[in-house]
Amino acid sequence: MPGLANIGYVAVFFKLNIPIQRILHIFEESPFSLNYVPVESEIVPGVKVGPSIFKIAEIKRRELKAMGYNIGNSQTPIIPIIIGDQMKTMQAWKILFEAGIYTNVALPPAVPPNMSLLRTSYMATHTDEQLEKVLETFKHIKQKLAIS
């Protein structure tokens, strides 16, 4: 098929005596086909991308730690907020969601007991106002839910 790239892999199940299964993934050729966005790309026409994503993540890690949140040993723009208690984690997720802030929630068995967490993800296209709103919401959550 012209204009398409074919990528596939083979899975073999020896012990189950199942024939070789071949799964073929077809996608259009594009620098964005695999969710890869080069740094030089203009994500939104006319919008200048601010500080690097790693600088933003470094600042957010520092600010969240200063608030007393446990963020583990995060070194990436995906920063976990380890709350521990499942109910408080779900309540925090709901407050964030209602404020228009999307996070992923992880509860047992996806994480060990008493390690429930929210995964926050930061992008270079987030505005200073959006980033500040996230911090203000986490300050509110810390007080409202008495997260230690």
Side-chain angles (χ1 to χ4, degrees):
M1 294 188 219
L4 295 178
N6 294 323
I7 305 268
Y9 67 89
V10 177
V12 181
F13 300 93
F14 294 104
K15 292 183 180 180
L16 299 177
N17 198 23
I18 297 174
I20 294 175
Q21 300 294 314
R22 182 172 183 260
I23 301 173
L24 180 65
H25 298 278
I26 300 173
F27 59 90
E28 291 186 30
E29 288 179 0
S30 158
F32 305 108
S33 294
L34 298 173
N35 294 326
Y36 166 74
V37 180
V39 175
E40 313 83 42
S41 69
E42 187 176 61
I43 297 170
V44 178
V47 174
K48 184 178 178 183
V49 175
S52 82
I53 184 56
F54 297 103
K55 183 68 175 168
I56 291 170
E58 178 186 325
I59 293 166
K60 295 306 130 198
R61 279 192 296 274
R62 187 175 344 114
E63 292 171 334
L64 288 163
K65 279 184 184 179
M67 278 188 234
Y69 279 104
N70 178 0
I71 63 164
N73 295 320
S74 171
Q75 298 295 313
T76 70
I78 301 171
I79 303 173
I81 310 295
I82 303 166
I83 296 174
D85 180 78
Q86 290 183 44
M87 187 57 71
K88 286 184 179 182
T89 303
M90 287 304 300
Q91 289 170 327
W93 175 85
K94 185 176 185 225
I95 292 168
L96 288 159
F97 187 77
E98 289 174 348
I101 301 166
Y102 182 78
T103 62
N104 297 101
V105 65
L107 304 169
V111 295
N114 299 315
M115 289 291 288
S116 296
L117 61 87
L118 300 170
R119 283 184 53 209
T120 61
S121 303
Y122 299 91
M123 302 184 306
T125 54
H126 280 129
T127 65
D128 290 341
E129 294 79 21
Q130 290 169 327
L131 295 169
E132 188 58 35
K133 180 180 180 181
V134 169
L135 290 178
E136 290 301 319
T137 307
F138 272 110
K139 284 178 191 173
H140 169 72
I141 289 169
K142 186 103 171 137
Q143 294 169 351
K144 181 173 183 172
L145 302 180
I147 296 172
S148 54

